[in-house]
């Protein structure tokens, strides 16, 4: 009898383990089945290393890549301008949809499995807008990006240098030979690089000053064109005279902001850069962006320069874009995404997509004051005419990177309008003045987007 009871318990335990294992397997199948399908060992789904079914389009249905034939867009300008959003022929661009969304390109669901025809993966980008941004860069290295800070949709994402994906083999050979025309060509500068910010970092210094300096409303500073700090000289491009905080930001006065940095201290600036999300990665469709950095200086002169976005400061363009969205959204914004929809057989949705949000640890009142200050930058300094009727709030940056090269040109900001909830970032490497070089690109792209 005892032996029979022991066998009965053993059988029951075995059945319970079998049921539990089956439940886990079924659960994993429903959760991870799409990844299993896209696994490279499933050779019947791949041709020459690429998944053999599915298509990639822009937000308006313009074909960017046909997974079955391997064909890209008909127009070479579209192919070049959307390269870093779509991907090259060999998968060298990790941020391309061919890599990011390969599991969606096979027509799969957990009930019917894999079916012929493939899914249509629609990206959030506008191909025509990308072409405009690419042409505006005019062969210079850099990046242009615009996103809807309420929905998270990236409507423009261009990285340069770029190339026609049909020339992938020739470009690969040129890269291997060290051709300088293709320096870091596979790198998406928007997502995967960090750069000296220059004066766009003054947004962080301003936020810290708003929250930490009690008598900031009474702030004035007389700029003589230079400021001596601990044996070093902080210089301005011109003599600005006596200024309020709003005037100092609009003039991008290095001397005034060096003074604020000295009052705030390096620890405070590092804290505010961290709260802004500039020292962390942004996750875009599972891909982590590059991190920025702020090193607390040990000397007063280095501290002064760090407050104006020099010293060893670095920011990632995607993180800066999200910060712009958060300021526009009073501290909160949508997380950027490149995936608009996945459509399967009979035009039915083949994936459930959600919008997530992120936030910065700045007060809502701080964001509101920054909006006012950044709007003043445009109306008083950058020129409202180039933006038409758009309520653009912005900050330019001219980031010194070496004694021999021209500075990087930045222009970042957002439109403060519920009808056009867009944030933007423009970076032109060694492009010179931020407001003129990068600002004109932003104006060209925004006016087309909102027309």
């Amino acid at each position: 009898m005892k032996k029979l009871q022991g066998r009965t318990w053993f059988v029951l335990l075995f059945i319970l383990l079998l049921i539990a294992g089956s439940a886990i397997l079924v659960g994993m199948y429903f959760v991870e089945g799409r990844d299993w399908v896209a696994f490279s060992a499933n050779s019947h789904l791949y041709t020459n290393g690429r998944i053999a079914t599915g298509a990639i389009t822009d937000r308006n249905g313009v074909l960017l890549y046909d997974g079955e034939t391997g064909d890209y867009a008909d127009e070479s300008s579209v192919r070049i301008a959307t390269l870093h959003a779509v991907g090259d022929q060999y998968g060298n661009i990790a941020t391309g949809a061919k890599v990011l969304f390969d599991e969606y390109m096979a027509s799969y669901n957990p009930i019917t499995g894999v079916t012929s025809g493939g899914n249509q993966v629609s990206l959030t980008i506008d191909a025509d807008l990308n072409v405009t941004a690419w042409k505006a860069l005019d062969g210079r290295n850099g990046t242009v990006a615009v996103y809807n800070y309420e929905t998270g949709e990236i409507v423009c994402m261009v990285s340069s240098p770029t190339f026609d994906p049909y020339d992938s083999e020739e470009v690969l050979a040129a890269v291997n030979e060290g051709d300088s025309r293709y320096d870091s060509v596979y790198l998406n500068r928007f997502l995967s690089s960090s750069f000296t910010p220059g004066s766009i970092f003054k947004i962080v210094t301003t936020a810290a000053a708003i929250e930490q300096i009690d008598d900031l409303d009474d702030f004035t500073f007389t700029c003589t064109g230079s400021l001596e700090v601990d044996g070093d000289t902080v210089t301005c491009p011109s003599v600005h005279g006596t200024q309020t905080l709003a005037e100092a930001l609009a003039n991008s006065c290095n001397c005034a902001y060096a003074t604020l940095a000295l009052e705030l201290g390096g620890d405070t600036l590092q804290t505010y850069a961290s709260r802004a999300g500039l020292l962390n990665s942004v996750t875009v469709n599972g891909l982590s962006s590059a991190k920025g950095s702020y090193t607390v200086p040990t000397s007063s002169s280095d501290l002064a320069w760090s407050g104006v976005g020099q010293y060893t400061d670095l920011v990632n363009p995607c993180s800066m874009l999200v910060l712009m969205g958060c300021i526009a959204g009073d501290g909160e914004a949508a997380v950027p995404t490149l995936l608009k929809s996945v459509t399967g057989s009979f035009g039915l949705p083949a994936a459930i997509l959600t919008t997530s949000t992120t936030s910065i640890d700045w007060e809502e009142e701080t964001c509101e004051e920054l909006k006012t200050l950044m709007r003043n930058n445009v109306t008083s300094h950058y020129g409202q005419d180039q933006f038409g009727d758009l309520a653009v709030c912005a900050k330019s940056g001219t980031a010194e990177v070496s004694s021999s090269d021209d500075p990087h040109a930045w222009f970042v900001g957002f439109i403060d309008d519920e009808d056009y909830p867009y944030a933007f970032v423009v970076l032109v490497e060694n492009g010179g003045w931020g407001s003129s070089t990068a600002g004109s690109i932003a104006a060209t792209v925004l006016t087309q987007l909102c027309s």
Side-chain angles (χ1 to χ4, degrees), residues 122-161:
S122 296
L123 304 184
T124 58
I125 64 168
D126 182 314
D128 287 341
L129 197 64
N130 267 39
V131 170
T132 296
W134 167 65
K135 288 181 177 179
L137 278 170
D138 195 25
R140 297 166 295 191
N141 293 353
T143 185
V144 181
V146 183
Y147 100 121
N148 185 314
Y149 52 80
E150 291 184 352
T151 67
E153 294 180 346
I154 300 173
V155 295
C156 177
M157 184 184 72
V158 174
S159 180
S160 180

Side-chain angles (χ1 to χ4, degrees), residues 371-440:
K371 287 182 193 179
T372 301
L373 291 169
M374 294 172 69
R375 182 76 184 112
N376 176 68
N377 290 348
V378 175
T379 57
S380 70
H381 198 74
Y382 305 143
Q384 177 61 42
D385 289 349
Q386 63 181 324
F387 299 104
D389 295 330
L390 298 176
V392 173
C393 306
K395 181 69 188 80
S396 66
T398 304
E400 301 290 342
V401 289
S402 74
S403 58
S404 58
D405 294 323
D406 289 333
H408 292 339
W410 287 89
F411 201 75
V412 302
F414 52 89
I415 303 174
D416 188 20
D417 187 335
E418 61 182 10
D419 293 330
Y420 303 111
Y422 296 108
F424 58 87
V425 58
V426 178
L427 165 68
V428 183
E429 295 177 34
N430 309 120
W433 290 103
S435 58
S436 56
T437 301
S440 63

Side-chain angles (χ1 to χ4, degrees), residues 44-335:
H44 65 290
L45 290 179
Y46 287 82
T47 302
N48 295 327
R50 67 171 185 269
I51 199 159
T53 57
I56 300 171
T57 71
D58 82 339
R59 65 184 299 106
N60 301 310
V62 175
L63 181 65
L64 302 178
Y65 177 73
D66 187 328
E68 187 171 0
T69 64
D71 293 332
Y72 286 80
D74 291 336
E75 296 183 22
S76 61
S77 60
V78 172
R79 296 194 298 268
I80 294 169
T82 62
L83 174 72
H84 290 86
V86 177
D88 65 312
Q89 290 185 324
Y90 299 121
N92 290 318
I93 298 175
T95 60
K98 289 176 61 183
V99 174
L100 283 180
F101 307 130
D102 60 347
E103 73 272 21
Y104 290 117
M105 293 181 68
S107 183
Y108 163 83
N109 71 62
I111 305 300
T112 62
V114 179
T115 57
S116 62
N119 291 329
Q120 177 175 304
V121 174
S122 296
L123 304 184
T124 58
I125 64 168
D126 182 314
D128 287 341
L129 197 64
N130 267 39
V131 170
T132 296
W134 167 65
K135 288 181 177 179
L137 278 170
D138 195 25
R140 297 166 295 191
N141 293 353
T143 185
V144 181
V146 183
Y147 100 121
N148 185 314
Y149 52 80
E150 291 184 352
T151 67
E153 294 180 346
I154 300 173
V155 295
C156 177
M157 184 184 72
V158 174
S159 180
S160 180
T162 182
F163 59 89
D164 190 321
Y166 285 145
D167 297 333
S168 293
E169 186 173 349
E170 292 83 352
V171 170
L172 180 60
V175 169
N176 290 335
E177 292 172 2
D179 191 327
S180 60
R181 293 175 301 168
Y182 300 107
D183 284 346
S184 304
V185 71
Y186 298 129
L187 196 69
N188 186 332
R189 281 158 162 75
F190 170 65
L191 287 168
S192 305
S193 295
S194 294
F195 302 88
T196 302
S199 292
I200 63 171
F201 189 83
K202 288 171 183 170
I203 296 169
V204 176
T205 306
T206 304
I210 291 170
E211 295 188 2
Q212 297 297 324
I213 298 178
D214 292 334
D215 57 349
L216 193 64
D217 290 340
D218 299 323
F219 175 86
T220 60
F221 181 83
T222 301
C223 172
T224 62
S226 64
L227 178 69
E228 296 296 321
V229 181
D230 196 23
D232 192 10
T233 303
V234 176
T235 58
C236 279
S238 62
V239 177
H240 296 124
T242 301
Q243 311 158 96
T244 64
L245 179 66
E247 291 168 335
L249 184 64
N251 291 328
S252 204
C253 179
N254 290 342
C255 298
Y257 272 83
T259 302
L260 289 173
L262 292 170
E263 182 171 351
L264 290 165
D267 289 334
T268 297
L269 289 176
Q270 184 183 61
T271 296
Y272 275 82
S274 178
R275 290 180 181 178
L278 297 181
L279 308 186
N280 301 315
S281 295
V282 177
T283 301
V284 179
N285 301 116
L287 183 73
S288 296
S289 70
K291 295 180 180 180
S293 67
Y294 178 91
T295 302
V296 176
T298 56
S299 73
S300 296
S301 61
D302 288 339
L303 173 57
W305 280 114
S306 74
V308 303
Q310 295 291 158
Y311 184 48
T312 60
D313 299 1
L314 293 173
V315 299
N316 166 254
C318 182
S319 295
M320 181 57 69
L321 182 71
V322 174
L323 173 58
M324 294 300 102
C326 285
I327 294 173
D330 293 330
E332 185 175 273
V335 174

